[in-house]
Amino acid sequence: QVRERLKQQVAEMKDKFPGFRPGLAILQVGNRDDSNLYINMKLKAAAEIGISANHIKLPNTATETDVLKCIASLNGDPAVHGFIVQLPLDSDKPINTEKITNAVAPEKDVDGLSSINAGKLSRGDLGDCFIPCTPKGCMELIRQTGIQVAGKRAVVVGRSKIVGAPMHDLLLWNHATVTTCHSKTSTLAEEVGKADILVVAAGKAEMVKGEWIKPGAIVIDCGINHVPDSTKASGKRVVGDVAYSTAKERASYITPVPGGVGPMTVAMLMQSTVESAQRFLEKFQPGKWNIQYNQLTLKVPVPSDIEISRSCIPKPIDQVAKEVGLLPDEVELYGQTKAKVHLSALKRLKNEPDGKYIVVTGITPTPLGEGKSTTTVGLVQALGAHLHQNVFACVRQPSQGPTFGIKGGAAGGGYCQVIPMEEFNLHLTGDIHAITAANNLVAAAVDARIFHELTQTDQALYNRLVPSVNGVRKFSDIQIRRLQKLGINKTDPTALTKEEVNLFVRLDIDPGTITWQRVLDTNDRFLRKITIGQSPTEKGFSRMAQFDITVSSEIMAVLALSDGLDDMKKRLGRMVVASSKRGEPVTTDDLGVTGALAVLMKDAVKPNLMQTLEGTPVFVHAGPFANIAHGNSSVLADKIALKLVGKEGFVVTEAGFGADIGMEKFFNIKCRYSGLRPHVVVLVATVRALKMHGGGPAVTAGVPLPKEYTEENLQLLAKGCSNLNKQIQNAQMFGVPVVVAVNAFKTDTKAELALVVQLAKEAGAFDAVECTHWAEGGNGALALAHAVQRASQTPSNFRFLYNLELPVIDKIRLIAQQIYGASDIELLPEAQQKVALYTKQGFGNLPICMAKTHLSLSHDPEQKGAPTGFILPIRDVRASVGAGFLYPLVGTMSTMPGLPTRPCFYDIDLDPMSGEVNGLF
């Protein structure tokens, strides 16, 4: 009856909440036969009822720490509503059973064995605890007799924590008068004879005699004992603690052994699991996060970013992780406000549906930027804290170079920030430092290999590359891969011919073709061009080299485009550092450094979890440049976030620079590799930038805006909307609906904002809305959030701009003509040579990552609006083979600026008393 009732309840849950199932986990240590039997009974019952049961089996070598770690994981798993630890624990190691049972979260302790549940039962809080399954089954059997418990005299024989003690409490709080007897009770027969209700759980075969029992009593026998019986094949039979044959003549009701209390115990375990699932549904709606949002206290005028950031106390990051459905063992804490998320989360969630995928981009910006990061944060705060949708922001990690140089931070601004901003803008969890170390290891390996090949014979090189250890030579795995690449199918180091040894040991790197540079995450202008190898120990081998900024390293792009550790390792191994003198590409795998790079990057591959001012979750991961790289945060962060938010949730990510650069690369590169398909483009526009495109004076950082930007000028604004129109068309080429977010500044007039909204809609935008999130937080982006919700419901006919099989030149031409508005392209001689070389080397089918100015649709930063008819000059083409794209260099781009006369770091200091960073950004 119980099972049928539970089956019906589970079916009703599934009807009300499609895809939901009560979850039961059974943790076993060791391999006892009796435990296996009991667990199989429980699994069978769960399957019959419709409960999702998971059996976790630890070996008998498991330690107490192993068991506690497993329990912690189950405590944090939202899909597990109840779990039990199968006792006894069959381990070779000493394990404190009490400590184990008390480690189970009380709200999931469906066995009712934790001290908290036992305490609640002893106090009579029956509606707020779980009762051990055997006593609960006994009470259900008593109720089935129809006899009222209240006022009856009850006797419990036995005082174990599992049956006797909780049975006493349960009968007491059901208003029986209860006596507990045990092995030291001297008048046991007399006490038993007084019982209207008798529950025996002493563990002694047929200890209670039938003649002791009061006529008409209810007898519940919880004992399971084996006694000799020569008539049985096993030589023994199972009996209870009550002499059944004589007791049944006096009792009105009696449970047999076996087959009485045992099946009820299993049924009650199932009932407690269903009850736990019902309690979960009362608190949480499946697919909806139960998240605590922070209430903003808005001030006018809006204070500085750092003042706003400091005014908000972030939630503990482990709380944020729990709120969004991450398990404790999937989260690696870095202090109180940031954490790394293990890739095991993606594996666990692989069968969950993805949420809606939103990309935030912008019109061609002024040098001041138009607020894409601020809009990204404002949108997620609106969707989450105000509309109560599951929503994640996925953003790039900023480089320390611009942070300390001319730009300051990149955490958003006003009341739309990622916090704490000083953590976000500085070291975070060390990913950029890991990339610096990995990149420079490759650079060192390149020059060291050239040096060793110049100064050693083939045999000397071979002896060092494949050394004899205890008289035995052995190829490493990476050396086997090199041999296979060379077409040498041998694994015995002694079997190589002289010619094969020569091929194996000599990469013959042509120094003039080295493309791999050293990096540093600081704007140091004096490292742009350097001479290396000046020490006498380098024996005259010197060459010109340079330092780039770390975030321009190909390893950063590899990190951003990898979809797992294995994929990252393969991409790291494919990176081309130079060409040999035979014109063949030389890779990091050829250098033997792939495994070392993967080790250096093993933590960096995990996305970083933070939060916004209003308490919505943020992944901060990877920070590739948007010119020589694709300018988007990591694929892994997006994939994990899309699973966590669920089918009805939203993931909002930002593409660097304007739509012609970051968005185009987001679609043609990132989405191509990730397999993800976007639902909506949010295009950020400002009156200031549109006036600039209409012919307004130059906008310069640190210089007050000319009056054209602070006074109403509808004519100038309307003319500049040509850039907005073009960027809307660019997004529509990919088949994705566009919502224009007009980021309002205090100098904008209502007429100007209304004009932009009108012209955006006329240009084909799905919707266009005014946004005031910088001053109002998520509340100022509510109109944008509603528009994005509506747009995400419309069909997205996403398509790529070009097929990879097209020739390299044709792919470049398509981007130039369709996205930029050029009439054609012109490849300068060096670019022509590179296209021919990369095509010959087998890289012609890679996507294109155009490196051009972000200040114009054309190659000329002075050309504003939407220029057409120009010839786009391609001066060079370079390859990021590991990351997976070719990047043409368009026109003349400025280099990363060095430190200015007065860098941002002049204003930065540390309070030695509080440890707080002052003056940052």
Side-chain angles (χ1 to χ4, degrees):
Q1 289 175 12
V2 172
R3 290 187 184 190
E4 284 301 317
R5 184 179 74 243
L6 294 176
K7 190 186 297 185
Q8 181 62 33
Q9 289 175 356
V10 170
E12 289 171 0
M13 286 184 194
K14 290 179 181 177
D15 288 342
K16 190 173 181 180
F17 304 103
F20 178 81
R21 290 179 72 189
L24 171 67
I26 303 172
L27 175 59
Q28 179 186 11
V29 178
N31 194 35
R32 283 176 59 119
D33 290 339
D34 53 351
S35 292
N36 292 334
L37 177 64
Y38 298 146
I39 289 170
N40 285 334
M41 290 168 56
K42 294 164 185 174
L43 293 174
K44 183 178 178 182
E48 178 188 329
I49 292 166
I51 293 171
S52 174
N54 183 21
H55 179 198
I56 302 100
K57 199 168 187 176
L58 299 180
N60 59 8
T61 56
T63 65
E64 186 174 274
T65 301
D66 296 331
V67 180
L68 290 172
K69 184 179 179 182
C70 189
I71 289 174
S73 176
L74 293 168
N75 281 341
D77 189 343
V80 173
H81 307 106
F83 82 88
I84 65 168
V85 179
Q86 184 67 40
L87 301 177
L89 299 168
D90 179 26
S91 176
D92 297 341
K93 306 292 189 297
I95 297 180
N96 185 329
T97 301
E98 183 82 2
K99 186 175 182 180
I100 295 302
T101 53
N102 278 323
V104 178
E107 68 273 14
K108 297 188 177 187
D109 174 29
V110 288
D111 246 351
L113 299 182
S114 69
S115 296
I116 291 177
N117 277 319
K120 288 182 176 181
L121 173 58
S122 70
R123 293 192 319 183
D125 296 335
L126 304 188
D128 188 35
C129 72
F130 285 111
I131 299 164
C133 299
T134 298
K136 189 173 182 177
C138 293
M139 278 304 301
E140 185 66 23
L141 287 168
I142 294 167
R143 289 193 190 99
Q144 288 291 324
T145 67
I147 296 173
Q148 291 294 316
V149 175
K152 296 293 188 296
R153 180 182 282 283
V155 172
V156 178
V157 181
R159 53 184 174 177
S160 72
K161 294 178 182 178
I162 296 176
V163 183
M167 192 72 234
H168 170 279
D169 294 336
L170 197 53
L171 286 163
L172 180 67
W173 293 110
N174 277 276
H175 312 298
T177 301
V178 188
T179 300
T180 295
C181 299
H182 44 78
S183 60
K184 304 299 182 185
T185 303
S186 58
T187 56
L188 181 60
E190 182 183 337
E191 296 296 336
V192 168
K194 299 175 185 177
D196 300 314
I197 299 170
L198 176 64
V199 181
V200 186
K204 292 185 178 180
E206 299 183 328
M207 181 183 76
V208 175
K209 308 307 178 186
E211 56 268 23
W212 296 358
I213 294 170
K214 179 180 179 180
I218 297 172
V219 179
I220 307 292
D221 188 351
C222 302
I224 298 179
N225 308 283
H226 293 89
V227 297
D229 188 339
S230 58
T231 66
K232 300 291 183 182
S234 63
K236 57 186 177 180
R237 63 188 171 90
V238 176
V239 298
D241 291 352
V242 177
Y244 182 78
S245 59
T246 53
K248 72 178 182 178
E249 302 301 327
R250 299 175 68 88
S252 59
Y253 295 91
I254 186 168
T255 57
V257 177
V261 172
M264 283 303 295
T265 299
V266 175
M268 290 302 103
L269 174 63
M270 300 301 121
Q271 181 167 309
S272 291
T273 302
V274 172
E275 287 172 359
S276 181
Q278 288 170 331
R279 292 176 190 176
F280 174 83
L281 290 174
E282 288 170 6
K283 289 183 180 179
F284 310 106
Q285 186 178 344
K288 282 287 185 183
W289 296 338
N290 185 27
I291 190 165
Q292 172 192 326
Y293 296 109
N294 297 331
Q295 189 76 33
L296 294 178
T297 302
L298 304 178
K299 294 182 179 180
V300 179
V302 177
S304 68
D305 289 352
I306 189 69
E307 186 178 342
I308 293 171
S309 178
R310 290 271 170 79
S311 70
C312 178
I313 299 174
K315 295 179 289 186
I317 201 65
D318 56 342
Q319 178 184 331
V320 176
K322 184 177 180 181
E323 288 174 341
V324 302
L326 289 164
L327 307 186
D329 59 359
E330 293 170 346
V331 180
E332 190 175 328
L333 301 180
Y334 280 65
Q336 292 293 309
T337 57
K338 54 190 177 180
K340 279 198 165 290
V341 174
H342 291 244
L343 304 190
S344 58
L346 186 57
K347 184 177 180 181
R348 174 176 64 88
L349 298 166
K350 64 181 179 181
N351 294 323
E352 296 297 318
D354 286 342
K356 303 291 195 304
Y357 197 26
I358 316 300
V359 61
V360 176
T361 185
I363 62 170
T364 305
T366 67
L368 306 180
E370 309 318 308
K372 292 194 306 300
S373 298
T374 307
T375 302
T376 299
V377 176
L379 175 56
V380 297
Q381 289 183 166
L383 286 166
H386 298 268
L387 298 182
H388 304 292
Q389 302 294 310
N390 294 356
V391 62
F392 240 106
C394 292
V395 299
R396 290 183 293 168
Q397 179 183 354
S399 164
Q400 181 182 286
T403 294
F404 281 152
I406 60 170
K407 182 181 177 184
Y415 287 103
C416 297
Q417 297 184 48
V418 180
I419 57 170
M421 65 180 302
E422 54 267 49
E423 298 284 351
F424 176 89
N425 285 302
L426 295 177
H427 305 283
L428 197 56
T429 57
D431 294 351
I432 292 180
H433 301 313
I435 292 167
T436 302
N439 184 99
N440 292 343
L441 177 63
V442 176
V446 170
D447 289 309
R449 188 59 176 259
I450 294 173
F451 171 78
H452 291 308
E453 289 187 22
L454 284 172
T455 57
Q456 297 181 55
T457 64
D458 288 359
Q459 192 58 47
L461 284 168
Y462 193 64
N463 290 342
R464 287 178 170 84
L465 288 169
V466 193
S468 176
V469 179
N470 297 325
V472 178
R473 291 182 189 268
K474 185 180 178 182
F475 290 125
S476 66
D477 291 343
I478 202 165
Q479 289 175 328
I480 293 289
R481 290 203 298 272
R482 172 148 176 80
L483 288 168
Q484 291 170 345
K485 180 179 176 180
L486 294 169
I488 303 171
N489 297 313
K490 296 178 181 179
T491 57
D492 180 1
T494 63
L496 268 63
T497 66
K498 284 186 177 181
E499 291 76 12
E500 289 170 339
V501 167
N502 174 266
L503 282 173
F504 174 74
V505 301
R506 296 204 176 271
L507 300 180
D508 275 334
I509 294 172
D510 180 353
T513 66
I514 295 173
T515 55
W516 197 268
Q517 308 298 344
R518 288 163 173 80
V519 298
L520 189 70
D521 200 33
T522 301
N523 292 1
D524 190 342
R525 65 174 68 239
F526 291 96
L527 293 178
R528 290 172 180 167
K529 289 293 179 185
I530 58 172
T531 304
I532 60 172
Q534 293 295 297
S535 170
T537 56
E538 272 53 77
K539 301 181 180 180
F541 170 66
S542 65
R543 67 179 182 89
M544 294 295 293
Q546 68 186 58
F547 271 82
D548 294 330
I549 197 157
T550 297
V551 290
S552 70
S553 169
E554 184 178 351
I555 296 177
M556 176 63 89
V558 165
L559 174 66
L561 289 170
S562 297
D563 69 1
L565 270 172
D566 184 57
D567 183 49
M568 182 181 72
K569 186 177 176 182
K570 289 175 180 175
R571 288 175 181 271
L572 290 170
R574 289 198 301 262
M575 295 188 302
V576 174
V577 299
S579 292
S580 70
K581 291 170 183 175
R582 298 184 297 274
E584 296 166 350
V586 177
T587 67
T588 43
D589 216 44
D590 293 326
L591 286 167
V593 77
T594 304
L597 296 180
V599 169
L600 286 171
M601 294 293 294
K602 68 181 178 64
D603 291 321
V605 77
K606 305 167 192 170
N608 304 297
L609 179 66
M610 295 188 75
Q611 62 192 289
T612 68
L613 283 167
E614 296 193 48
T616 58
V618 181
F619 274 139
V620 184
H621 199 215
F625 270 10
N627 46 22
I628 64 168
H630 62 292
N632 286 265
S633 59
S634 78
V635 166
L636 278 168
D638 290 1
K639 284 191 169 185
I640 295 173
L642 284 164
K643 295 298 183 186
L644 288 170
V645 300
K647 187 177 180 180
E648 301 304 320
F650 295 84
V651 170
V652 182
T653 189
E654 177 192 344
F657 292 154
D660 54 307
I661 300 180
M663 182 197 72
E664 181 270 319
K665 295 172 183 179
F666 171 81
F667 290 143
N668 281 322
I669 299 176
K670 185 176 181 181
C671 290
R672 198 186 294 270
Y673 281 123
S674 70
L676 300 174
R677 298 295 177 260
H679 293 80
V680 182
V681 170
V682 173
L683 184 68
V684 180
T686 62
V687 169
R688 177 182 67 193
L690 292 172
K691 285 181 175 179
M692 178 193 72
H693 286 295
V699 175
T700 307
V703 177
L705 288 172
K707 63 181 179 61
E708 286 85 351
Y709 297 103
T710 57
E711 298 175 0
E712 184 174 289
N713 190 327
L714 297 178
Q715 185 177 358
L716 190 67
L717 178 62
K719 184 180 178 184
C721 281
S722 61
N723 186 271
L724 173 64
N725 295 352
K726 176 57 179 166
Q727 299 289 30
I728 291 172
Q729 292 169 17
N730 285 343
Q732 290 174 328
M733 281 183 205
F734 296 91
V736 184
V738 184
V739 174
V740 173
V742 186
N743 191 12
F745 293 176
K746 61 183 179 181
T747 54
D748 301 339
T749 68
K750 289 184 177 181
E752 288 175 330
L753 294 169
L755 179 61
V756 178
V757 167
Q758 175 194 334
L759 294 178
K761 290 179 180 179
E762 290 175 2
F766 175 87
D767 202 353
V769 294
E770 176 187 339
C771 301
T772 55
H773 46 275
W774 179 79
E776 299 176 14
N779 192 56
L782 272 175
L784 176 62
H786 285 300
V788 166
Q789 281 184 304
R790 293 193 306 272
S792 70
Q793 303 300 322
T794 63
S796 175
N797 302 309
F798 178 72
R799 54 189 174 269
F800 298 119
L801 184 66
Y802 54 80
N803 293 322
L804 293 181
E805 293 74 19
L806 286 174
V808 172
I809 293 175
D810 289 353
K811 288 183 282 194
I812 296 172
R813 182 177 287 112
L814 269 173
I815 296 171
Q817 293 177 334
Q818 298 295 315
I819 301 297
Y820 306 155
S823 59
D824 205 348
I825 60 174
E826 178 188 11
L827 267 70
L828 301 183
E830 188 170 358
Q832 293 176 17
Q833 292 169 13
K834 291 288 185 64
V835 168
L837 174 64
Y838 294 144
T839 303
K840 179 184 176 183
Q841 291 179 338
F843 307 139
N845 285 346
L846 293 176
I848 302 299
C849 182
M850 301 287 276
K852 79 168 186 72
T853 178
H854 63 290
L855 298 175
S856 171
L857 281 163
S858 75
H859 59 285
D860 180 359
E862 301 303 318
Q863 282 196 299
K864 304 301 182 183
T868 58
F870 56 91
I871 304 293
L872 193 75
I874 311 296
R875 61 183 173 88
D876 197 2
V877 178
R878 296 177 186 170
S880 287
V881 177
F885 52 75
L886 302 178
Y887 60 100
L889 304 183
V890 180
T892 303
M893 290 194 305
S894 60
T895 58
M896 170 62 70
L899 292 174
T901 305
R902 193 182 193 284
C904 291
F905 62 63
Y906 269 58
D907 302 310
I908 299 171
D909 200 3
L910 184 72
D911 185 329
M913 299 300 291
S914 67
E916 287 188 341
V917 178
N918 292 324
L920 186 62
F921 331 116

